[in-house]
Amino acid sequence: MGRRSDHSRAELREMIITEGHRQMQEVGFARFSAREVAKRIGYSIGTLYNVFGNYDGMILAINGRTLDSWRGFLDSQLAKAGPDADRLKCAIDAYFEFAIAHRHAWAALYDFRLPEEVPLPEFYQDKITGIMDLVVREVALVLPPDRQDEAVPLARSLLATVHGHCAFTLNGTFALLGETDPLAAALQRVNEALAR
Amino acid sequence: MGRRSDHSRAELREMIITEGHRQMQEVGFARFSAREVAKRIGYSIGTLYNVFGNYDGMILAINGRTLDSWRGFLDSQLAKAGPDADRLKCAIDAYFEFAIAHRHAWAALYDFRLPEEVPLPEFYQDKITGIMDLVVREVALVLPPDRQDEAVPLARSLLATVHGHCAFTLNGTFALLGETDPLAAALQRVNEALAR
DNA sequence: CGATAAAATGATCAGTGTTCAATAATTAAA
DNA sequence: TTTAATTATTGAACACTGATCATTTTATCG
């Protein structure tokens, strides 16, 4: 067949990402199947490769969608909290809440890695640095004037700290070790770094 | 065939784990192949399944070997440091050093997950809690007498903190964000929590 | 209506984990 | 020693996977 009037190229791309993202969330990266996605949207496997070039490109697009969704949730929760709330606590809550609610899609962000010699595409880098910028902004808001220069390195480190707690929550390590309130632990570590 | 005089069951098990661990370190979890392991030790694929029951059992045995090796390295580095050194810094250094030197095997510890309803086998749980106990001991050594009750929850949280920094180092997130000394950042977070 | 370009296909290939009847080697019994 | 029972090992077969690309279909345009 050729161009199908029912779907433009952009629409098709969108369909694949949407269904792929759904699949990723349902079965996780290990059981994800491009063929299954193709079947569900009514296209052949070859078409997915025409659109994304290769498997990695498709996964990056799907994981990019997860990043967008995560970023959107963080933004909305911060907006809801307003300027006088404990915004960092709010951000950490949102971080955990999203990861738990979308555990498979969230885990896929880390389960999938490009070959070592292949750099992350710019569009994907931008999504990550975008989330980073958000954290930097919130950290700067909490830091006293004489420590503003710490904002960037501190934000990086606190992101890693929260990530570590979130990862141990989702992969069962904390459950095994008897930790029942990982969110509180993460928040404590963050506040210690800010108080110093 | 039947029992082969050249290898006892235990020796065969050992061969599979050793070669599997080597493979895991060389190509990583995503490209790991049980067939390839079988080929390299000169047994058929079926034999691996006879020994380990299923794929997951084999991976757990291999990852268990990684945990043993990691634990051994931590122990030896702490022993080398002696009682008067900054033992927690030493432990964190060793944590990073091992993960970097064995990035693929280390990553496989987290890339592989059992089905959600399947609990971790006891032998594997013990290896993890063993590492945890080590950290608790070191944390307790640094904590003042009036804070000894914090040792366990703090050790859990600091383990997660270091893990987060280590994960961001190995998956490229820190590089993308411009962090050039993740180890120092992790150490700083840990020291803040201990100083409070 | 052609002719041209674009889009979509799916058989094909090489690989994976998994199963299990068949077979071979060892050991135990007669 | 010969036979029976047990144990270890095999590898073809199955149902999948990502990947390729010659072929076919559709749309567009002169």
Side-chain angles (χ1 to χ4, degrees):
Chain A
M1 310 170 194
R3 209 170 290 160
R4 290 211 296 216
S5 59
D6 49 345
H7 299 303
S8 77
R9 204 64 177 182
E11 282 169 344
L12 174 53
R13 227 190 123 82
E14 176 62 26
M15 286 174 62
I16 297 171
I17 295 178
T18 299
E19 182 55 39
H21 187 257
R22 189 199 325 281
Q23 278 298 303
M24 192 64 88
Q25 171 52 25
E26 283 177 9
V27 306
F29 178 69
R31 294 180 205 269
F32 180 87
S33 157
R35 276 188 153 87
E36 183 63 27
V37 172
K39 192 185 294 177
R40 298 220 181 180
I41 64 172
Y43 276 81
S44 75
I45 178 63
T47 296
L48 303 213
Y49 278 82
N50 291 341
V51 172
F52 290 102
N54 56 26
Y55 191 72
D56 293 0
M58 181 177 165
I59 300 294
L60 281 174
I62 290 169
N63 279 356
R65 172 63 50 89
T66 302
L67 287 177
D68 288 343
S69 162
W70 197 10
R71 168 67 189 274
F73 185 67
L74 288 168
D75 281 336
S76 78
Q77 290 296 98
L78 281 171
K80 199 192 294 177
D84 297 327
D86 184 345
R87 291 174 63 86
L88 261 182
K89 175 185 182 334
C90 169
I92 296 171
D93 283 349
Y95 193 111
F96 268 74
E97 187 178 336
F98 182 91
I100 290 170
H102 308 87
R103 41 193 316 146
H104 288 143
W106 185 83
L109 296 176
Y110 306 99
D111 289 341
F112 169 73
R113 286 184 296 278
L114 285 170
E116 319 220 9
E117 70 280 8
V118 180
L120 273 183
E122 227 178 292
F123 88 90
Y124 196 89
Q125 290 189 22
D126 290 346
K127 292 179 197 296
I128 293 176
T129 55
I131 290 177
M132 173 64 187
D133 291 344
L134 180 155
V135 177
V136 171
R137 207 163 47 227
E138 296 303 326
V139 168
L141 280 174
V142 172
L143 239 32
D146 63 306
R147 289 180 66 196
Q148 287 296 314
D149 57 320
E150 293 178 41
V152 169
L154 199 48
R156 279 194 297 248
S157 179
L158 295 183
L159 203 56
T161 299
V162 172
H163 171 78
H165 284 73
C166 201
F168 272 15
T169 301
L170 291 195
N171 72 16
T173 302
F174 268 154
L176 171 62
L177 299 180
E179 176 61 71
T180 56
D181 195 350
L183 217 166
L187 192 58
Q188 215 171 328
R189 297 291 83 72
V190 168
N191 284 330
E192 282 162 359
L194 295 169
R196 233 246 321 248
Chain B
M1 310 171 195
R3 208 170 292 161
R4 290 214 294 215
S5 58
D6 48 347
H7 299 302
S8 76
R9 204 63 178 183
E11 283 168 342
L12 175 52
R13 226 189 124 83
E14 177 62 25
M15 286 174 63
I16 297 171
I17 295 178
T18 299
E19 182 56 39
H21 187 256
R22 190 201 321 284
Q23 277 297 304
M24 192 63 90
Q25 171 52 25
E26 282 176 9
V27 307
F29 179 69
R31 294 179 204 269
F32 180 87
S33 157
R35 276 187 155 88
E36 183 63 26
V37 171
K39 193 184 296 178
R40 298 219 180 181
I41 63 172
Y43 276 81
S44 77
I45 177 64
T47 297
L48 304 212
Y49 277 81
N50 291 340
V51 173
F52 291 103
N54 56 25
Y55 190 73
D56 293 0
M58 180 177 165
I59 300 294
L60 280 173
I62 291 169
N63 280 354
R65 172 63 50 91
T66 302
L67 287 177
D68 288 343
S69 163
W70 196 11
R71 169 66 190 275
F73 186 66
L74 288 169
D75 280 337
S76 78
Q77 291 296 98
L78 281 170
K80 200 190 297 177
D84 296 327
D86 185 345
R87 291 174 64 84
L88 260 181
K89 176 184 180 335
C90 169
I92 296 171
D93 283 349
Y95 193 110
F96 268 73
E97 187 179 338
F98 182 91
I100 290 170
H102 308 86
R103 39 194 315 146
H104 288 143
W106 185 83
L109 297 176
Y110 306 99
D111 289 341
F112 170 73
R113 287 184 294 279
L114 285 169
E116 319 219 8
E117 70 278 8
V118 179
L120 273 183
E122 225 178 294
F123 87 90
Y124 196 88
Q125 290 189 22
D126 290 346
K127 292 180 197 295
I128 293 176
T129 56
I131 291 178
M132 172 64 185
D133 291 344
L134 180 156
V135 176
V136 170
R137 208 165 41 230
E138 296 303 326
V139 167
L141 280 175
V142 173
L143 240 33
D146 63 305
R147 290 179 66 195
Q148 286 295 315
D149 57 321
E150 294 178 42
V152 169
L154 199 50
R156 279 194 297 249
S157 180
L158 295 184
L159 203 56
T161 300
V162 173
H163 171 79
H165 284 73
C166 201
F168 272 15
T169 300
L170 291 195
N171 72 15
T173 302
F174 268 153
L176 172 61
L177 299 180
E179 177 60 71
T180 56
D181 195 351
L183 217 167
L187 192 59
Q188 214 172 331
R189 298 290 83 72
V190 168
N191 284 330
E192 281 162 0
L194 294 169
R196 235 251 318 257

